[in-house]
Amino acid sequence: MIYLESPSTDPEFNLALEQYVFDEMDQNEEYFMLWQNDNAVIIGKNQNTIEEINRRYVEEHGIKVVRRLSGGGAVYHDMGNLNFTFIVNGEDASNMDLHAFCRPIARALNQLGVPAKVNGRNDITIEGRKFSGNSQYIRGGRIMHHGTMMFDSDLTVLSECLRVSKDKIQSKGIKSVRSRVTNIREYLPRDITLKQYKEMLVRFMEEDSPMGRHAFTKEEMARVEEIRRNRYGLWEWNYGYSPRYRIKKERRVEGCGTLLVSMDAKDGRIENLEFYGDYFGNGDTAELADALRGCRLEKEALLAALYDVNVERYINHLSKEQLAQILTE
């Protein structure tokens, strides 16, 4: 096995790096990689992004939202979290024991005196609380297994950015199962830093199975950046890839009244839109809906579509900015 370390903490780059290793590095080799991300929510491939995140909180706090290649639920990353990836071959990848990739992490923690266990959902837990969520991407007899290790993550931020709206959403996306979570650091017999934990984990893996090392070249990094730019940095992948869904919103707006919105969206864009409520207005809101049909659900895009539209003609005392906020939060 070859050990890899990412030189970046950018979540878009790191998911591109995983894909590069999986698709383009020597497939006769197997790889183990450790990496960290700055604040980010990582969405499962088959999920509806809007349904998984507290969008207002995420945007206000500069938290990136990136979709990965593998399925499973949404997870939060920050610099108190360490991620691991195994990329290996399997004769019949579909029958691969998913726990096989979690057990080395649990054993390493057991050696440190932490009672970590692998549970039936392919999570790793301590005293019933999850600190590691895992998922897999399988193609062509090749397996990418990756997971989180929350060492000292900010659990307050985690709960806020994954606190979803109470709006009624009907979606075919796979919904996350929320679990009680914890940090590894709380259970260590003696306190160590994340850097020390990472070094100890690498030593354990090398003792278990000798590993070579690979240093990425400038050319490889340029290729990873190209993958990032063409997939993981795109709104169309991170938001627009979401399945069709219907959402109903109800908001009380000061000076306006109660506004009810019924909206159908596909590929992250508005398909149908209807407004109801006890507000006043002189225009037909069907005209307002027509102006937004086909627009992607992103505040800047909505404001651009409304540039020449007098929203208050249709809904008194409602600004363009307020409408865009209601439709995207």
Side-chain angles (χ1 to χ4, degrees):
M1 187 168 286
I2 294 176
Y3 174 61
L4 306 170
E5 276 193 31
S6 171
S8 175
T9 57
D10 173 53
E12 296 173 0
F13 184 92
N14 280 329
L15 291 181
L17 180 60
E18 277 193 317
Q19 183 179 335
Y20 170 77
V21 176
F22 185 88
D23 287 340
E24 302 185 29
M25 287 185 66
D26 188 350
Q27 297 198 1
N28 293 312
E29 300 288 353
E30 298 186 335
Y31 302 93
F32 173 68
M33 183 166 72
L34 292 175
W35 45 290
Q36 286 182 277
N37 280 338
D38 291 320
N39 293 39
V41 177
I42 309 301
I43 302 291
K45 182 180 180 181
N46 303 311
Q47 292 192 294
N48 180 358
T49 302
I50 299 299
E51 201 170 4
E52 294 297 324
I53 64 173
N54 179 348
R55 191 165 183 177
R56 174 179 283 190
Y57 184 89
V58 161
E59 291 178 351
E60 287 178 351
H61 290 80
I63 298 171
K64 282 192 173 181
V65 178
V66 191
R67 187 183 301 276
R68 63 180 183 264
L69 285 177
S70 62
V75 291
Y76 172 71
H77 291 182
D78 63 14
M79 292 300 289
N81 172 72
L82 181 64
N83 302 294
F84 67 93
T85 304
F86 289 95
I87 296 176
V88 303
N89 293 314
E91 291 182 7
D92 185 359
S94 62
N95 292 326
M96 199 71 181
D97 179 5
L98 305 186
H99 289 182
F101 302 98
C102 301
R103 290 191 194 107
I105 305 301
R107 287 200 304 269
L109 283 165
N110 293 163
Q111 286 195 358
L112 292 174
V114 178
K117 295 181 179 179
V118 182
N119 74 9
R121 294 187 58 247
N122 305 316
D123 299 327
I124 316 177
T125 62
I126 303 172
E127 296 181 354
R129 293 177 178 267
K130 182 171 82 170
F131 70 89
S132 176
N134 292 257
S135 60
Q136 289 190 346
Y137 173 68
I138 300 172
R139 183 167 57 81
R142 195 94 163 133
I143 305 162
M144 177 198 296
H145 180 109
H146 45 198
T148 60
M149 289 181 283
M150 292 196 300
F151 184 83
D152 194 20
S153 287
D154 190 329
L155 301 185
T156 301
V157 176
L158 181 154
S159 63
E160 284 296 324
C161 66
L162 296 179
R163 182 173 55 82
V164 297
S165 169
K166 293 181 180 179
D167 296 325
K168 295 179 181 178
I169 301 178
Q170 296 177 351
S171 168
K172 292 184 178 179
I174 304 300
K175 298 171 180 61
S176 293
V177 177
R178 307 298 183 203
S179 304
R180 292 187 305 162
V181 295
T182 192
N183 280 310
I184 294 169
R185 196 169 194 171
E186 296 179 26
Y187 300 89
L188 289 165
R190 63 181 181 86
D191 193 35
I192 59 174
T193 65
L194 191 151
K195 181 181 178 181
Q196 290 172 318
Y197 170 70
K198 178 181 176 181
E199 292 169 350
M200 294 173 74
L201 179 60
V202 172
R203 285 200 301 271
F204 174 85
M205 294 296 295
E206 287 179 325
E207 290 170 3
D208 198 46
S209 177
M211 295 190 295
R213 305 253 174 161
H214 176 82
F216 293 108
T217 65
K218 289 183 179 179
E219 291 76 16
E220 287 177 313
M221 293 295 91
R223 173 58 183 145
V224 173
E225 173 58 27
E226 182 181 14
I227 296 171
R228 185 206 68 79
R229 188 170 59 249
N230 292 331
R231 169 170 276 172
Y232 300 99
L234 296 178
W235 178 91
E236 287 78 5
W237 172 251
N238 297 320
Y239 283 88
Y241 190 82
S242 297
R244 176 186 274 111
Y245 65 95
R246 172 171 293 175
I247 183 169
K248 294 182 179 179
K249 298 168 177 278
E250 181 177 345
R251 300 290 186 273
R252 180 74 185 176
V253 181
E254 188 66 31
C256 171
T258 299
L259 176 64
L260 294 95
V261 179
S262 179
M263 180 171 62
D264 293 304
K266 180 183 178 184
D267 299 329
R269 295 178 182 271
I270 296 172
E271 267 194 335
N272 294 298
L273 185 62
E274 294 177 303
F275 298 99
Y276 307 93
D278 60 4
Y279 55 82
F280 293 98
N282 296 320
D284 185 348
T285 54
E287 296 175 1
L288 179 58
D290 286 341
L292 294 171
R293 191 169 285 110
C295 185
R296 70 187 194 182
L297 280 162
E298 184 183 41
K299 190 177 295 183
E300 292 75 12
L302 292 169
L303 290 174
L306 293 169
Y307 183 78
D308 292 322
V309 177
N310 181 5
V311 172
E312 291 200 46
R313 176 171 173 266
Y314 302 99
I315 305 173
N316 286 359
H317 307 299
L318 184 73
S319 70
K320 294 179 175 68
E321 290 75 15
Q322 286 174 309
L323 178 56
Q325 184 69 49
I326 289 169
L327 292 178
T328 57
E329 68 180 4

